[in-house]
Amino acid sequence: MEQQVLDLLAATLEPAAETRTNAERHLEQLYTNDAFPISLISIASHTSVSLSLRQAALLVLKTFVLRTWAPSIDDFQGVVTINDATKDQVRQSLLALATSGDQERRVVSAASYVVSKIAGVDFPESWPSLLPTLLQLVPRSHETQLHGVLLVLSSLVEDGFDEEQFGNSAVELVRCIYNVATDESKKLMSRSLAVSIFRACFETMRLMYETDKASIKQFMQEASDAWTPFFINVLKLPLPQIPAAGQEDDSGSGSWRGAIALKTQVVKALDKIHQTFPHLLNQHLLTLFSTVWESLQAHVGPYVTLYVSDNQQGRLEDADRLPYTLDFLVIEELDYIQTLVGSVTVKRELDAQLAPEKLSNGSSEGTWITQIMSILVGYSQITQEDEGLWNFDVNVFLSEETSETANYSPRNACTYLVQKLCKWPLLDSLLVHTKTIYEGSSSVQTKEAALFILKQVLHELDGSSIEINPDLARAYLNFIGLAMHNDDEFLRARGYIVAARLTTISSTGLVDAVPEYAQKTLTTIDQDPSDVVKVSCIRAMQEYLKTLPSSRAREFQVQTVAAISNFLSAQDLSELKESEDLLDTLVETLRDAIMADPTLCLEHPALDVLFTMASYGASSFQTTMLVNEAFESITSSMAAKGNDAYTQLCAKVLPTLTGALDVGDMTSENALSDMAVSLLSSLAEHGPSPLPQTFVATIMPKLYRLLFSSNDFSLNQSATVTIRHILSHDADQVFSWIDPATGKGGLEIVLLIIDRLLGPEVDDASAAEVGGLTVELVEKAGADRLGPYLMQLLRVVAVRLSTAEHASFIQNLVLVFARLSLTNAKEVLDFLAQVHIEGGAGGTGLEVVLRKWLENSVHFSGYDAIRQNVIALTNIYKLHDERLANIQVQGDLLPDNTARIKTRSQSKQTPLRYSVISVPLKLTKVLISELANPISPSTPGLVHNHLRADSDDEDDEWEDEPGFVDLGNPTTTAQLMSYADESKWNVRQWDDETQQYLVNFFKQASTEPDFETLYQGLTDEEREKLHRMENPTVQ
């Protein structure tokens, strides 16, 4: 069988897709054969087999284990295919491979991962010997075998153990890896791996702490007391001599690569301890701070030698994912210094060193601030690698400049450290250091780095309460001027960027110099040969345009537009689509120039330039947003000036926008069409009533064609909204328009569009705005003009609502009936009662619509939508229609009485269960849910006090425990950014008017006889909400 499996594995590596698919299918058919996993392990163990096939065997084995080993694995597919005896053989053979000392680290790593997955299920019940075997192997293994054992332990700690399993073995495990980490006879990479395992333990310990604080705290304190002195000693060790190129391998205990790896893991471990159990390091904080500080000072020279003076490759990891290049170590040290600076103990010591009695002549010169400035400037120098990338692609330079890059470097780390240090007087010491740099023989990289740090400090101080001494600001201008005229393009670019930042801060007293520097910047855009300098100046103009009063900013509008236009004309526009950061910078600067006076755009080519960039950035969300923002400002400003100005704007932009729709249609570029329709939507939204005479005839044929040919949801939504805006501003022009291509009138065209969007062939996302268009049509056309089409239209809406699944689409359709119920609630119910809907969710229209309406109302968002929904529901309630009591809808979520934790797959197999209640009761519950909570998230003081009251008193002794969100920490920033989009669309908003309306409604409803029956069906929380509404002072 082994040969058969080997042949199939070879086939999975073939380039032909059909061959690969057939081989994978045949391998899956072997799952029920007990010899199959044994054959895979045997193939992976043979050193005579090629590495690719050995890796393929372990990959297939991993898939096999995840799918068939045990039901508790999330990816399990329903059937355990091998018996217990075979499982035991797999466990032993796989562990033997992982700890065999095989020279191929990728094989050992893959085998270790599979061992950890099996251990997560079988240890300790079915595999009690696993951990004892590993721990016994550690002290007697040779180096190669030790590497495999440590990899298995690492995989177990990270992926295999749960809290209980880890807790039973933690003491012995930590002692074992401590012995490896501190054994100077072991290879440094093995010691690094041991430290990495120790660091991984803290995540599990953090989880265990929630249930067993006392014992975990004691254990971690003992572990920390043992490990921390070792960590400090490692950090104090000097680096070996920088090896010659090609000699960086881990050939002995004193290797360069191993020393870097060990130090890096030590700093990462210390940072992990500080973030999870900060009290453990309280007594060592000052020692750690001084040690890492000295380490950073010692590493500046080697860092500059390797990456600034030379072009050594950085950001490298070995096969075990252990970083081993100096730049990684420097990043970790800078980040950890940032963490330490935030601690109370270190802050107190740093403040003490700056006390007046300790300063010489009252100056901070020679203090730790001067030293940190030297460190920051040293690590902020542009590396040769970055210089090459920025010269090749100016877009990369801009992404680094805006910190919107995934390439986190020492230069980036320095910016975050600056944020933490700005509470101290940095500018004085930085000026002294900058003066030394510019008056000496320092490199251009050092000069650029000094201004780079200055820019970061200015950025932090701007908007803060800290004033900038005007004399200091003027002193910096001298060095900025030198930079602006230097031969080095990066130093020149930095000069213009910092000049804009410094002169536009009001406290510097340099605002009067802004026009002069703005003019210099515009001249440089046209004359400087370097694209890096040009785009830096274009970006700098944003600062000037925002600072200048509108009367002066208008003077620079034409020049700025011309400079951007000239820059664009010199670029290869075919490459512009891939340069998102460059496009965004150009659009942002053009937008700021336009904002100076949007009404002047008809007098120069600003709109043409904007549309050119829009066409190339149509596929970029950020660029599209910026273009829309600029165009919306233009449109609203022109509309405010009157019909003539708006008509002139339409005459200028409509040919371009409709032409873009034609190009997008011919080339099937949905992004371009979407951009054009979005701009047309802004044009229609801000238009006057009535619209210019040819507006509908120009736009409607294009939108009609798009909506019947495109399946792009964004395009369909934008086109639907545009038609709604047109109807809102000038329905008469729509109804009087005749489409020359079809001979159909405007009313019929809109009805056909709505009918298509409500049809089953259009998905929920594409039809998401059709409800708003339907309401607008009904209100503008009226029953007389619509005639029999009105009832047909509402029936189609009800039918589509029965199959709608997306929350936003459901809200959009429900609001059709909600808007009508504001004035004709009884007629709406009567009509729906006559409609019959087929299908699984069928029944009368009254049943279908009310179920969807009431079960999704709590998800509605937006002030207007919530207000209209609340008033419509209260109108329906006031009818006391007997038909409603006979309709059953989804009620409250029924609790799951089991305490067992479920996996994702188990949760899917047991869906949530709800009670079944009547429509009047559900309607009451929905309206109660719309009452604002007595204690809401908008009262952070109450929430904070409540949480503090529940906290454990023993935590008060934990110094420096993070009790705030540190926006300066890149990890925190990334975590917050992951929630940004959801927070925009999934927000519930209340307004005082709606709240008062609800209060009055419930006060009136509570006096009616039927309300007592409904009250008995409410939950305790709902009753309490009503009670607090009547007695707002009750807490």
Side-chain angles (χ1 to χ4, degrees), residues 507-555:
S507 64
T508 62
L510 299 174
V511 175
D512 290 342
V514 167
E516 175 191 349
Y517 277 89
Q519 188 60 60
K520 288 180 180 179
T521 303
L522 284 170
T523 302
T524 302
I525 297 174
D526 288 332
Q527 297 180 357
D528 199 287
S530 167
D531 277 352
V532 169
V533 177
K534 288 177 183 289
V535 298
S536 297
C537 290
I538 290 172
R539 192 163 185 270
M541 282 305 300
Q542 297 173 23
E543 305 269 8
Y544 296 130
L545 291 166
K546 291 174 183 176
T547 303
L548 287 166
S550 57
S551 58
R552 296 300 303 274
R554 280 196 294 268
E555 298 174 10

Coordinates of all heavy atoms in Angstrom, one line a residue, residues 507-555:
S507 N 0.8 77.6 17.7 CA 1.6 78.1 18.9 C 3.1 78.4 18.5 O 3.8 79.0 19.3 CB 1.6 77.0 20.0 OG 2.2 75.8 19.6
T508 N 3.5 78.0 17.3 CA 4.9 78.2 16.9 C 5.1 79.7 16.5 O 6.3 80.1 16.3 CB 5.3 77.3 15.7 OG1 4.5 77.6 14.6 CG2 5.2 75.9 16.1
G509 N 4.0 80.4 16.2 CA 4.2 81.8 15.8 C 4.7 82.0 14.4 O 5.1 83.0 14.0
L510 N 4.5 80.9 13.6 CA 5.1 80.9 12.2 C 4.0 80.9 11.1 O 4.3 80.8 10.0 CB 6.0 79.7 12.0 CG 7.2 79.6 12.9 CD1 8.0 78.3 12.6 CD2 8.2 80.8 12.6
V511 N 2.7 81.1 11.6 CA 1.6 81.0 10.6 C 1.8 82.1 9.5 O 1.4 81.9 8.4 CB 0.3 81.2 11.3 CG1 -0.9 81.2 10.4 CG2 0.1 80.0 12.3
D512 N 2.3 83.2 9.9 CA 2.5 84.3 8.8 C 3.5 83.8 7.7 O 3.4 84.4 6.6 CB 3.1 85.6 9.5 CG 2.1 86.2 10.4 OD1 0.9 85.9 10.2 OD2 2.5 87.0 11.3
A513 N 4.3 82.8 8.0 CA 5.2 82.4 7.0 C 4.6 81.3 6.0 O 5.2 80.9 5.1 CB 6.5 81.8 7.6
V514 N 3.4 80.9 6.3 CA 2.7 79.9 5.5 C 2.6 80.2 4.1 O 3.0 79.4 3.2 CB 1.3 79.5 6.1 CG1 0.5 78.7 5.2 CG2 1.5 78.8 7.5
P515 N 2.2 81.4 3.7 CA 2.1 81.7 2.2 C 3.4 81.6 1.5 O 3.5 81.1 0.4 CB 1.6 83.2 2.2 CG 0.8 83.3 3.5 CD 1.6 82.5 4.5
E516 N 4.5 82.1 2.2 CA 5.8 82.0 1.6 C 6.2 80.5 1.4 O 6.7 80.1 0.3 CB 6.8 82.7 2.5 CG 8.3 82.5 2.0 CD 9.3 83.0 3.1 OE1 8.9 83.6 4.1 OE2 10.5 82.7 2.9
Y517 N 6.0 79.7 2.4 CA 6.4 78.3 2.2 C 5.5 77.5 1.3 O 5.9 76.6 0.6 CB 6.5 77.6 3.6 CG 7.8 77.9 4.4 CD1 7.9 79.0 5.2 CD2 8.9 77.0 4.2 CE1 9.1 79.3 5.8 CE2 10.0 77.3 4.9 CZ 10.2 78.4 5.7 OH 11.3 78.7 6.3
A518 N 4.2 77.9 1.3 CA 3.3 77.3 0.3 C 3.7 77.6 -1.1 O 3.7 76.7 -2.0 CB 1.9 77.8 0.6
Q519 N 4.2 78.8 -1.4 CA 4.6 79.2 -2.7 C 5.9 78.4 -3.1 O 6.0 77.9 -4.2 CB 4.8 80.7 -2.8 CG 5.1 81.2 -4.2 CD 3.9 80.9 -5.1 OE1 2.8 81.3 -4.9 NE2 4.2 80.1 -6.2
K520 N 6.8 78.3 -2.2 CA 8.0 77.5 -2.4 C 7.7 76.0 -2.7 O 8.3 75.4 -3.6 CB 8.9 77.5 -1.2 CG 9.6 78.9 -0.9 CD 10.5 78.7 0.3 CE 11.2 80.1 0.6 NZ 12.1 80.0 1.8
T521 N 6.7 75.5 -2.0 CA 6.3 74.1 -2.2 C 5.7 73.9 -3.6 O 6.0 72.9 -4.3 CB 5.3 73.7 -1.1 OG1 5.9 73.9 0.2 CG2 4.9 72.2 -1.2
L522 N 4.8 74.8 -4.0 CA 4.2 74.7 -5.3 C 5.3 74.8 -6.4 O 5.2 74.1 -7.4 CB 3.1 75.8 -5.5 CG 1.8 75.6 -4.8 CD1 0.9 76.8 -4.8 CD2 1.1 74.4 -5.4
T523 N 6.2 75.7 -6.2 CA 7.3 75.8 -7.2 C 8.1 74.6 -7.4 O 8.5 74.1 -8.5 CB 8.2 77.0 -6.9 OG1 7.4 78.2 -6.8 CG2 9.3 77.2 -7.9
T524 N 8.3 73.9 -6.2 CA 9.1 72.7 -6.2 C 8.4 71.6 -6.9 O 9.1 70.7 -7.6 CB 9.5 72.3 -4.8 OG1 10.2 73.4 -4.1 CG2 10.3 71.1 -4.7
I525 N 7.1 71.5 -6.8 CA 6.3 70.5 -7.5 C 6.6 70.5 -9.0 O 6.7 69.4 -9.6 CB 4.8 70.6 -7.2 CG1 4.5 70.4 -5.7 CG2 4.0 69.6 -8.0 CD1 3.1 70.7 -5.3
D526 N 6.7 71.7 -9.5 CA 6.9 71.8 -11.0 C 8.4 71.6 -11.4 O 8.7 71.1 -12.4 CB 6.4 73.2 -11.4 CG 4.9 73.3 -11.4 OD1 4.2 72.2 -11.6 OD2 4.4 74.4 -11.2
Q527 N 9.3 72.0 -10.5 CA 10.7 72.1 -10.9 C 11.6 71.0 -10.4 O 12.6 70.7 -11.0 CB 11.3 73.5 -10.4 CG 10.6 74.7 -11.0 CD 11.1 76.0 -10.6 OE1 12.0 76.0 -9.7 NE2 10.6 77.1 -11.1
D528 N 11.3 70.3 -9.3 CA 12.2 69.3 -8.7 C 12.1 68.1 -9.6 O 11.1 67.6 -10.0 CB 11.8 69.0 -7.3 CG 12.9 68.3 -6.6 OD1 13.2 67.1 -6.9 OD2 13.5 68.9 -5.7
P529 N 13.3 67.5 -9.9 CA 13.3 66.3 -10.8 C 12.8 65.0 -10.1 O 12.5 64.0 -10.7 CB 14.8 66.2 -11.2 CG 15.5 66.8 -10.0 CD 14.7 67.9 -9.5
S530 N 12.8 65.0 -8.7 CA 12.5 63.8 -8.0 C 11.0 63.6 -7.7 O 10.3 64.5 -7.2 CB 13.2 63.8 -6.7 OG 12.7 62.7 -5.8
D531 N 10.4 62.5 -8.1 CA 9.0 62.2 -7.8 C 8.8 62.1 -6.3 O 7.7 62.5 -5.8 CB 8.6 60.9 -8.4 CG 8.2 61.1 -9.9 OD1 8.1 62.2 -10.3 OD2 7.9 60.0 -10.6
V532 N 9.7 61.6 -5.5 CA 9.6 61.6 -4.0 C 9.4 63.0 -3.5 O 8.6 63.2 -2.6 CB 10.8 60.9 -3.4 CG1 10.8 61.1 -1.9 CG2 10.9 59.4 -3.7
V533 N 10.2 63.9 -4.0 CA 10.1 65.3 -3.5 C 8.7 65.9 -4.0 O 8.1 66.6 -3.2 CB 11.3 66.2 -4.0 CG1 11.1 67.6 -3.6 CG2 12.6 65.6 -3.5
K534 N 8.4 65.6 -5.2 CA 7.1 66.2 -5.8 C 5.9 65.7 -4.9 O 5.1 66.5 -4.5 CB 6.9 65.7 -7.2 CG 7.8 66.4 -8.2 CD 7.6 65.8 -9.6 CE 8.6 66.3 -10.6 NZ 8.2 67.7 -11.0
V535 N 5.8 64.4 -4.7 CA 4.6 63.9 -3.9 C 4.7 64.4 -2.5 O 3.6 64.6 -1.8 CB 4.5 62.4 -4.0 CG1 4.3 61.9 -5.4 CG2 5.7 61.7 -3.4
S536 N 5.9 64.6 -1.9 CA 6.0 65.1 -0.6 C 5.5 66.5 -0.5 O 4.8 66.9 0.4 CB 7.4 65.1 -0.1 OG 7.9 63.7 0.0
C537 N 5.8 67.3 -1.5 CA 5.3 68.7 -1.6 C 3.8 68.7 -1.8 O 3.1 69.6 -1.3 CB 6.0 69.4 -2.7 SG 7.8 69.8 -2.4
I538 N 3.3 67.8 -2.7 CA 1.8 67.8 -2.9 C 1.1 67.4 -1.6 O 0.1 68.0 -1.3 CB 1.5 66.7 -4.0 CG1 2.0 67.2 -5.3 CG2 0.0 66.4 -4.0 CD1 1.9 66.2 -6.4
R539 N 1.7 66.5 -0.8 CA 1.1 66.2 0.5 C 1.2 67.4 1.5 O 0.3 67.6 2.3 CB 1.8 64.9 1.0 CG 1.1 64.3 2.2 CD 1.5 62.9 2.5 NE 0.8 62.3 3.5 CZ 1.1 62.3 4.8 NH1 2.2 62.9 5.2 NH2 0.3 61.8 5.8
A540 N 2.3 68.1 1.4 CA 2.5 69.2 2.3 C 1.5 70.3 2.0 O 1.1 71.0 3.0 CB 4.0 69.8 2.1
M541 N 1.1 70.4 0.8 CA 0.1 71.5 0.5 C -1.2 71.3 1.2 O -2.0 72.3 1.4 CB -0.2 71.5 -1.1 CG 0.9 72.2 -1.9 SD 1.3 73.9 -1.4 CE -0.3 74.7 -1.6
Q542 N -1.5 70.1 1.6 CA -2.7 69.8 2.4 C -2.7 70.6 3.7 O -3.7 71.2 4.1 CB -2.9 68.3 2.7 CG -3.1 67.5 1.5 CD -3.1 66.0 1.8 OE1 -3.3 65.6 3.0 NE2 -2.7 65.1 0.9
E543 N -1.5 70.6 4.3 CA -1.4 71.4 5.6 C -1.6 72.9 5.4 O -2.3 73.5 6.1 CB 0.1 71.1 6.2 CG 0.4 69.7 6.4 CD 0.1 69.2 7.8 OE1 -0.6 70.0 8.5 OE2 0.5 68.1 8.1
Y544 N -1.0 73.4 4.3 CA -1.1 74.8 4.1 C -2.5 75.2 3.7 O -3.0 76.2 4.2 CB -0.1 75.2 2.9 CG 1.3 75.0 3.2 CD1 2.2 74.3 2.3 CD2 1.9 75.5 4.4 CE1 3.5 74.2 2.6 CE2 3.2 75.3 4.7 CZ 4.0 74.6 3.8 OH 5.4 74.5 4.1
L545 N -3.2 74.5 2.9 CA -4.5 74.8 2.4 C -5.5 74.8 3.6 O -6.5 75.6 3.6 CB -5.0 73.9 1.3 CG -4.2 74.0 0.0 CD1 -4.5 72.9 -0.9 CD2 -4.6 75.3 -0.7
K546 N -5.3 73.9 4.5 CA -6.2 73.8 5.7 C -6.0 74.9 6.7 O -6.8 75.3 7.4 CB -6.0 72.5 6.4 CG -6.5 71.3 5.6 CD -6.2 70.0 6.3 CE -6.6 68.8 5.4 NZ -6.2 67.5 6.1
T547 N -4.7 75.5 6.7 CA -4.4 76.5 7.7 C -4.7 77.9 7.2 O -5.2 78.8 7.9 CB -2.9 76.4 8.0 OG1 -2.6 75.1 8.5 CG2 -2.5 77.4 9.0
L548 N -4.5 78.2 5.9 CA -4.7 79.5 5.3 C -6.2 79.9 5.4 O -7.1 79.0 5.3 CB -4.3 79.5 3.9 CG -2.8 79.5 3.6 CD1 -2.6 79.2 2.1 CD2 -2.2 80.9 4.0
P549 N -6.5 81.1 5.7 CA -7.9 81.6 5.6 C -8.4 81.4 4.2 O -7.6 81.4 3.2 CB -7.8 83.1 6.0 CG -6.4 83.5 5.8 CD -5.6 82.2 6.1
S550 N -9.7 81.2 4.1 CA -10.2 80.9 2.7 C -9.9 81.9 1.7 O -9.7 81.6 0.5 CB -11.8 80.8 2.8 OG -12.3 82.0 3.3
S551 N -9.8 83.2 2.1 CA -9.4 84.2 1.1 C -8.0 84.0 0.5 O -7.8 84.2 -0.7 CB -9.5 85.6 1.7 OG -8.7 85.7 2.9
R552 N -7.1 83.6 1.4 CA -5.7 83.4 0.9 C -5.6 82.0 0.2 O -4.9 81.8 -0.7 CB -4.7 83.4 2.1 CG -4.6 84.8 2.7 CD -4.1 85.9 1.8 NE -2.9 85.5 1.1 CZ -1.7 85.8 1.6 NH1 -1.6 86.4 2.8 NH2 -0.6 85.5 1.0
A553 N -6.4 81.0 0.8 CA -6.3 79.7 0.2 C -6.8 79.7 -1.3 O -6.3 79.0 -2.1 CB -7.2 78.7 1.0
R554 N -7.8 80.6 -1.6 CA -8.3 80.7 -3.0 C -7.2 81.1 -3.9 O -7.2 80.7 -5.1 CB -9.5 81.7 -3.0 CG -10.8 81.1 -2.6 CD -11.9 82.0 -3.0 NE -11.9 83.3 -2.4 CZ -12.5 83.6 -1.3 NH1 -13.2 82.6 -0.6 NH2 -12.5 84.8 -0.7
E555 N -6.2 81.9 -3.4 CA -5.1 82.3 -4.3 C -4.3 81.2 -4.7 O -3.6 81.2 -5.8 CB -4.3 83.4 -3.5 CG -5.0 84.6 -3.1 CD -4.2 85.5 -2.2 OE1 -2.9 85.2 -2.1 OE2 -4.7 86.5 -1.6

